[in-house]
Amino acid sequence: MANREGEHPVHFDELYRELILDHYRSPRNQGDLAKATAAAEGMNPSCGDELRLGIRIADDIVEDVRFVGQGCSISQASSSMMTEQIRGRSLDAVGAIADKIQQMLTVDGFDVDADAVDIGDLEALQGVARFPVRVKCALLAWKVLAQALAEATDREVADDTEIQTRVIQPAKR
């Protein structure tokens, strides 16, 4: 089925805006995660957004993921949307989704290929790319996720000079 978004751009922009506001007003998967495999936190100093993420991985599957944060509607909605999309997925699938979102938000003129990687409702974040000052808000959750996954898989993550992340001790409750 062809993507018909271009035929009604205003309609889809409104739907995407509403989806982001819905996740901001009613965030999913918010709270500390007991018995997390790994946890990380980060902040966007240009906006003041803060995020702490806990992730539980079993057999290379994201079994559970939760976040605690404060900040603007875009950072909090991105966090909520991310947790919904990655729960129950393999680490490979999560990596592909994370790469696609970061490309979508940072590569000039990038167009989401819906058939390449299923990003679901995360496509709503594509509009954020039009506002460079807000891109870091949307990226915060994904940078913190990369840090947590790197910790869980004993890999290194590239430092980001603009969005600071660090590994933290997971909740053991």
Side-chain angles (χ1 to χ4, degrees), residues 19-95:
L19 182 61
I20 289 170
L21 286 174
D22 178 54
H23 275 271
Y24 173 66
R25 292 178 183 137
S26 301
R28 283 61 149 185
N29 307 307
Q30 193 172 38
D32 285 315
L33 178 62
K35 299 179 183 172
T37 305
E41 64 184 5
M43 77 171 292
N44 172 6
S46 66
C47 189
D49 301 324
E50 296 177 2
L51 177 72
R52 185 174 68 241
L53 183 77
I55 188 166
R56 186 178 321 126
I57 301 166
D59 298 322
D60 284 341
I61 302 291
V62 174
E63 193 173 82
D64 202 359
V65 58
R66 296 197 170 273
F67 78 99
V68 176
Q70 62 181 20
C72 71
S73 59
I74 292 172
S75 75
Q76 298 303 289
S78 181
S79 301
S80 175
M81 295 167 76
M82 177 194 69
T83 62
E84 280 199 319
Q85 284 295 315
I86 69 169
R87 175 182 277 124
R89 294 195 187 235
S90 71
L91 295 181
D92 287 343
V94 170

Side-chain angles (χ1 to χ4, degrees), residues 3 100 104 110-119 123 126:
N3 181 352
K100 182 64 73 173
M104 180 179 78
F110 180 77
D111 186 26
V112 173
D113 180 358
D115 296 329
V117 175
D118 180 15
I119 62 170
E123 192 171 348
Q126 187 172 24

Side-chain angles (χ1 to χ4, degrees), residues 117-157:
V117 175
D118 180 15
I119 62 170
D121 287 346
L122 291 168
E123 192 171 348
L125 296 173
Q126 187 172 24
V128 174
R130 287 183 255 158
F131 305 98
V133 72
R134 302 308 300 263
V135 167
K136 291 180 210 159
C137 302
L139 281 176
L140 176 61
W142 300 94
K143 297 292 186 176
V144 173
L145 173 65
Q147 184 71 61
L149 290 175
E151 172 68 10
T153 58
D154 293 322
R155 295 187 182 142
E156 299 253 342
V157 67

